[in-house]
Amino acid sequence: MDGAFSFGPQVTLGLGTGSTTWNYAADPDEATCTFNGIHLSSIFGIGVRTDLSEFMIAMIFSLGPQCAHVSIPRGPIRAPCLPCPPLSPFLESALPRPVPTRVLSAIAPANLFPARRASALLALAAAAAFGAGGSAGPAWAQAWPVKPLRLVTPFPPGGALDTTARVLAPRLGEHLGQPVVIEPRTGAGGSIGAEFVAKAAPDGYTLLMGTATSHAIAAALNPKLGFDLQKDLASVSLVVNSPLVLVMHPSLPVKSVKDLLALVRKRPNELSFASHGNATVSHLAQELFRAQAKVGFVHVPFKGSAPANADLLGGHVSLLFDSVAPSLGNIKAGKVRALAIATDRRVAALPEVPTIAESGLPGFSANNWFAVFAPGATSREVVNRLNAEIVKIVANPEVRTRFIELGLEPQSSTPEQLRDLVAADLKNWSRLIRDAGIKGD
């Protein structure tokens, strides 16, 4: 049952004592316990029985205003504590005895926050309930997070997804009170990073900055992935839409989509069209463009936006569907020319650039988005907390301005809205992949 826990052969007790690491071991046979190899009676000056409740009480009276938390297989419960008088009848009755403890090890987070004494008592009671086989999902969620989180990015640095993650991560860390570290895990069109998160512990500490490519397109391209994108990854929130722009090397003698199509029809299957990689959204936008315009190009796949842009700047390829964010600087510097926006509306960062639909291919729309996902079994409480914080961040005027300046469109969502978006994209991209005969690498 979700939220039900019991102690295994090892539990963790954390003490807010700076960076010191403490170790506690109990020997039920001898009815003794030690702290860093010293008998507890030597430290606290009191006799301590080999059970969790007595040890926690001794710890409170010894550490005073420090903070404690108990970690269990699914996640931690934190018991922030303030100095208090002799044990109250409430705490006395709340802690069942005995609660057998086999091994306790403690690692001291430096930034656990103190709280009111009432909260401490309730958290301690919940921790004791776990020892007795009880459940307290909400109490665990209130304690989370007690250590840094990692945000996995499934594409190389330098692209729009990496840019989005670098805007979001520090602010999410501020909101949660713990650092959020970006961890690239790239390859296979985003599937490597997505699979890593799908198979990670569902404790709220490993998240994915997912994309249309790592979700809908990967599932459409390979129904036999080693994981189920819709079941093994929990939707948290959309963060931005990342509009695609059709950019070209300025040596091409064209100034519009109409000019480009006229040139391609004179020189069929000659112009090179770069992409972020085989079966990425950059590639599929190209295939959609080719199919609707009924023209031919030479597809040149790269491993991400940065290397594709490098070859476009060097004149080694002629065209590229890229996210606006990484191309914006080159467009404004005149190093590449923006022909059209691939989505159904213009973008604020390039208001003078028309859409492809405006430029002669009515109905054309190829959108990319970036969103946060968690392992599928992550508790609803943690998903809701993450969603609430991301919604606040995306709504922040400073953040919105920054995203817009980068050519991104800030847009949060509920978990349910994001799940529906993935399902709709899966349906739409599946049809194009089938019709175009696209295969994965």
Side-chain angles (χ1 to χ4, degrees):
M1 180 183 299
D2 186 46
F5 310 98
S6 61
F7 282 118
Q10 177 170 330
V11 292
T12 301
L13 184 110
L15 309 179
T17 54
S19 60
T20 307
T21 298
W22 302 86
N23 295 297
Y24 167 73
D27 187 341
D29 296 330
E30 298 182 9
T32 61
C33 18
T34 60
F35 216 126
N36 277 7
I38 305 173
H39 282 277
L40 286 182
S41 57
S42 302
I43 297 176
F44 298 120
I46 55 175
V48 183
R49 289 176 15 200
T50 55
D51 67 67
L52 177 62
S53 58
E54 289 290 321
F55 174 68
M56 291 178 73
I57 293 166
M59 178 201 66
I60 293 169
F61 284 102
S62 173
L63 297 178
Q66 307 297 336
C67 299
H69 75 275
V70 175
S71 293
I72 50 182
R74 178 69 175 275
I77 281 190
R78 186 175 66 215
C81 28
L82 298 176
C84 53
L87 190 62
S88 68
F90 169 80
L91 187 55
E92 182 85 41
S93 62
L95 292 168
R97 306 182 187 201
V99 183
T101 304
R102 296 170 179 82
V103 178
L104 282 163
S105 64
I107 299 176
N111 53 355
L112 295 180
F113 304 105
R116 292 177 302 176
R117 182 166 177 261
S119 298
L121 296 179
L122 289 173
L124 284 171
F130 277 123
S135 65
W140 173 80
Q142 290 170 9
W144 175 92
V146 296
K147 64 179 182 179
L149 288 74
R150 55 183 171 177
L151 180 62
V152 173
T153 53
F155 288 93
L161 180 137
D162 178 64
T163 300
T164 302
R166 292 183 186 282
V167 173
L168 176 67
R171 292 166 176 83
L172 184 58
E174 291 172 5
H175 280 241
L176 295 175
Q178 291 288 345
V180 177
V181 181
I182 296 172
E183 182 175 314
R185 287 186 176 265
T186 65
S191 295
I192 289 176
E195 182 172 7
F196 176 80
V197 176
K199 294 181 177 180
D203 54 10
Y205 292 102
T206 303
L207 307 174
L208 172 71
M209 179 63 80
T211 73
T213 299
S214 65
H215 273 66
I217 295 174
L221 193 67
N222 185 6
K224 296 182 179 181
L225 286 172
F227 62 104
D228 189 316
L229 282 163
Q230 293 179 295
K231 293 180 181 178
D232 296 335
L233 286 166
S235 297
V236 175
S237 177
L238 191 64
V239 179
V240 296
N241 283 311
S242 180
L244 296 173
V245 59
L246 175 56
V247 289
M248 52 163 276
H249 191 269
S251 63
L252 277 184
V254 299
K255 294 184 178 181
S256 68
V257 169
K258 288 183 179 179
D259 290 345
L260 174 64
L261 294 180
L263 178 64
V264 174
R265 286 175 181 133
K266 291 179 181 177
R267 298 162 54 184
N269 300 311
E270 183 179 329
L271 293 185
S272 53
F273 212 135
S275 79
H276 299 171
N278 194 44
T280 60
V281 69
S282 173
H283 177 203
L284 296 189
Q286 178 188 144
E287 289 295 335
L288 184 63
F289 185 75
R290 179 194 58 76
Q292 289 196 13
K294 296 181 173 57
V295 292
F297 302 95
V298 177
H299 176 220
V300 184
F302 290 83
K303 293 185 180 296
S305 171
N309 268 293
D311 267 29
L312 180 65
L313 289 170
H316 304 298
V317 292
S318 301
L319 299 156
L320 169 68
F321 270 114
D322 195 25
S323 294
V324 171
S327 284
L328 192 57
N330 292 330
I331 293 169
K332 291 187 173 182
K335 295 179 179 179
V336 297
R337 184 177 300 154
L339 288 183
I341 302 297
T343 49
D344 55 6
R345 62 182 182 274
R346 298 190 184 198
V347 300
L350 295 169
E352 72 285 356
V353 179
T355 66
I356 291 177
E358 292 178 86
S359 304
L361 291 180
F364 185 96
S365 181
N367 189 36
N368 197 14
W369 44 259
F370 305 142
V372 174
F373 298 83
T378 303
S379 74
R380 185 67 189 190
E381 292 84 7
V382 168
V383 168
N384 287 344
R385 171 76 189 284
L386 284 166
N387 175 266
E389 302 304 341
I390 292 171
V391 168
K392 292 176 189 175
I393 292 167
V394 174
N396 182 289
E398 179 185 342
V399 174
R400 294 185 67 82
T401 298
R402 180 60 179 151
F403 276 141
I404 291 169
E405 289 174 347
L406 292 168
L408 300 163
E409 297 178 339
Q411 182 178 342
S412 60
S413 71
T414 65
E416 292 75 20
Q417 288 169 334
L418 177 55
R419 188 166 57 244
D420 291 345
L421 174 62
V422 172
D425 272 9
L426 174 59
K427 180 179 178 180
N428 293 334
W429 290 125
S430 292
R431 186 184 305 112
L432 177 63
I433 288 169
R434 182 181 63 251
D435 294 346
I438 298 171
K439 305 295 182 182
D441 290 330

